[in-house]
């Protein structure tokens, strides 16, 4: 474990250097990136030791007005799509991952923080009203919004709510943030989705050993949720997992099909990815006939 932590500490130090480089580049072009999730926590000094947190990407958000300009600037400075398709998949919340030679982390440039269903309640316009920065002009969303985003990222964006599951990584981030901001007030601040935020806060309360900083809003609905959560920690019914996996797969396919019909960029991605396959099937069918 010490060896792994030492490796991760070195990797995170390189990620911090890369994030600072990105910040300087974009500031020089009149764009202020707001670092979110793990990299925001690293830059802000949230952890006792930067080796604690495993990182995959550098995530930051910019305004919709600067979104395409940001991607263009990064590409002009050596970044390119990790996926080499001419037309990359069009993600809802962020641009497809981009990488640069001799840089350790991929970038995810966000213009949205959550799925379309909840984007009216938690978005760039909301979090940009409460921005904090350090002495290096690196910007982050407020502590209460960071705490909410830590819940939203796994529980809503990654469908943790459906499986009634939790992520130790995100629960630990919530615990660390709760040392600096009132967790209960944070989840209550987003009225339209505070039910889900409170569910996850309650889950984290038990996973982290019932610290006072993670005390949640106790009500009948949340207590019933926690009973099921504890039950599924012991053993989640296999049928439920298979059903939810099938549901998410079908829902994802239908959602993409709808976007292919309505979004020109999605159509271009679809035909690049599947065009040759469709043509080859047509050729084989003609040969058989």
């Amino acid at each position: 474990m010490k060896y792994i932590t030492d490796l991760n500490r070195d990797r995170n130090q390189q990620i911090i250097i890369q994030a600072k480089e990105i910040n300087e580049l974009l500031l020089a072009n009149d764009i202020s990136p707001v670092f979110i999730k793990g990299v925001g926590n690293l830059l802000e000094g949230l952890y006792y030791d930067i080796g604690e947190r495993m990182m995959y990407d550098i995530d930051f958000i910019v305004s919709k007005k600067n979104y395409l300009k940001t991607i263009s600037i990064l590409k002009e400075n050596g970044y390119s799509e990790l996926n080499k398709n001419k037309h990359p998949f069009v993600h809802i919340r962020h641009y497809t991952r981009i990488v640069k030679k001799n840089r350790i982390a991929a970038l995810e440039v966000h213009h949205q923080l959550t799925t379309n269903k909840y984007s009216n309640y938690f978005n760039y316009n909301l979090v940009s009203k409460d921005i904090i920065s350090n002495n290096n002009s690196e910007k982050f969303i407020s502590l209460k919004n960071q705490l909410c985003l830590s819940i939203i990222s796994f529980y809503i964006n990654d469908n943790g709510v459906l499986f009634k599951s939790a992520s130790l990584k995100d629960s630990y981030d919530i615990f660390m943030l709760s040392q600096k901001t009132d967790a209960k007030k944070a989840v209550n601040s987003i009225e339209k989705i505070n039910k889900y935020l409170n569910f996850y806060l309650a889950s984290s309360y038990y996973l982290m050993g019932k610290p006072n900083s993670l005390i949640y809003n106790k009500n009948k609905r949340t207590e019933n949720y926690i009973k099921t959560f504890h039950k599924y920690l012991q053993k989640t019914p296999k049928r439920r997992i298979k059903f939810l996996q099938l549901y998410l797969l079908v829902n994802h396919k239908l959602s993409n099909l709808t976007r292919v019909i309505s979004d020109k960029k999605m159509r271009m991605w679809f035909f690049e990815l599947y065009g040759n396959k469709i043509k080859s099937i047509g050729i084989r069918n003609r040969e058989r006939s």
Side-chain angles (χ1 to χ4, degrees):
M1 293 299 290
K2 181 181 183 302
Y3 175 69
I4 292 171
T5 305
D6 288 344
L7 287 176
N8 195 54
R9 187 180 298 109
D10 179 66
R11 173 180 166 81
N12 283 352
Q13 188 59 56
Q14 293 179 65
I15 286 175
I16 290 171
I17 293 170
Q18 185 180 353
K20 290 179 179 294
E21 178 186 84
I22 292 162
N23 189 59
E24 291 173 4
L25 170 65
L26 295 179
L27 286 177
N29 287 275
D30 298 318
I31 297 172
S32 295
V34 180
F35 293 96
I36 57 175
K37 301 166 72 172
V39 69
N41 295 339
L42 280 182
L43 289 169
E44 195 183 357
L46 180 66
Y47 306 108
Y48 299 117
D49 177 352
I50 64 169
E52 292 177 17
R53 177 64 147 81
M54 285 193 170
M55 295 275 300
Y56 302 102
D57 306 314
I58 293 175
D59 293 88
F60 62 89
I61 188 168
V62 295
S63 66
K64 287 189 177 181
K65 180 184 73 173
N66 286 326
Y67 177 61
L68 295 178
K69 180 182 176 182
T70 299
I71 294 161
S72 177
I73 290 167
L74 290 168
K75 286 184 176 180
E76 288 170 3
N77 284 270
Y79 282 91
S80 61
E81 288 86 355
L82 185 61
N83 186 323
K84 296 302 180 182
N85 288 342
K86 183 179 178 182
H87 303 292
F89 180 78
V90 185
H91 294 271
I92 291 174
R93 299 188 302 277
H94 58 80
Y95 192 70
T96 192
R97 298 169 84 207
I98 55 176
V99 294
K100 182 177 181 179
K101 188 176 180 181
N102 298 325
R103 299 297 183 274
I104 198 164
L107 308 187
E108 284 192 356
V109 183
H110 291 250
H111 64 89
Q112 197 166 303
L113 293 168
T114 186
T115 59
N116 284 337
K117 183 177 179 180
Y118 301 106
S119 62
N120 287 336
Y121 314 130
F122 194 73
N123 51 49
Y124 177 83
N125 290 337
L126 184 146
V127 301
S128 64
K129 296 174 182 176
D130 198 8
I131 294 293
I132 54 179
S133 61
N134 60 18
N135 294 332
N136 298 317
S137 299
E138 295 148 2
K139 291 183 171 57
F140 322 97
I141 58 178
S142 68
L143 292 170
K144 74 177 181 67
N145 284 330
Q146 287 181 55
L147 190 146
C148 290
L149 181 59
S150 294
I151 298 175
I152 289 168
S153 293
F154 172 77
Y155 202 56
I156 292 178
N157 295 346
D158 294 340
N159 300 299
V161 62
L162 292 177
F163 292 91
K164 292 182 169 60
S165 59
S167 157
L168 284 172
K169 171 182 66 107
D170 294 301
S171 290
Y172 182 69
D173 281 354
I174 292 162
F175 168 69
M176 293 299 292
L177 287 162
S178 73
Q179 308 300 303
K180 298 185 175 185
T181 189
D182 188 314
K184 190 190 287 190
K185 284 185 180 178
V187 302
N188 288 340
S189 68
I190 310 177
E191 183 180 349
K192 296 293 184 180
I193 57 173
N194 63 8
K195 174 181 75 173
Y196 301 119
L197 300 181
N198 192 57
F199 285 169
Y200 198 83
L201 181 61
S203 304
S204 299
Y205 172 77
Y206 289 101
L207 284 175
M208 294 292 110
K210 302 181 182 180
N212 289 334
S213 63
L214 292 179
I215 288 176
Y216 57 96
N217 299 295
K218 293 189 177 182
N219 53 56
K220 186 175 180 180
R221 189 165 52 185
T222 303
E223 295 307 309
N224 287 336
Y225 173 84
I226 285 298
K227 287 179 183 177
T228 306
F229 172 74
H230 282 308
K231 179 182 175 182
Y232 286 0
L233 274 183
Q234 302 301 318
K235 186 177 181 181
T236 305
K238 289 183 179 179
R239 286 184 180 179
R240 175 181 171 81
I241 293 175
K242 288 181 179 179
F243 171 77
L244 288 174
Q245 288 173 337
L246 178 61
Y247 165 77
L248 289 172
L249 177 64
V250 172
N251 188 61
H252 179 68
K253 296 293 185 184
L254 289 175
S255 175
N256 282 345
L257 180 60
T258 303
R259 292 179 64 205
V260 165
I261 295 169
S262 62
D263 188 325
K264 181 180 178 182
K265 289 184 178 180
M266 277 293 288
R267 285 197 295 276
M268 294 168 73
W269 165 80
F270 178 84
F271 286 116
E272 180 181 4
L273 193 63
Y274 295 106
N276 291 333
K277 294 180 182 179
I278 294 170
K279 286 179 183 177
S280 63
I281 291 171
I283 292 169
R284 286 201 301 270
N285 289 338
R286 284 197 297 272
E287 289 174 348
R288 287 171 187 166
S289 62

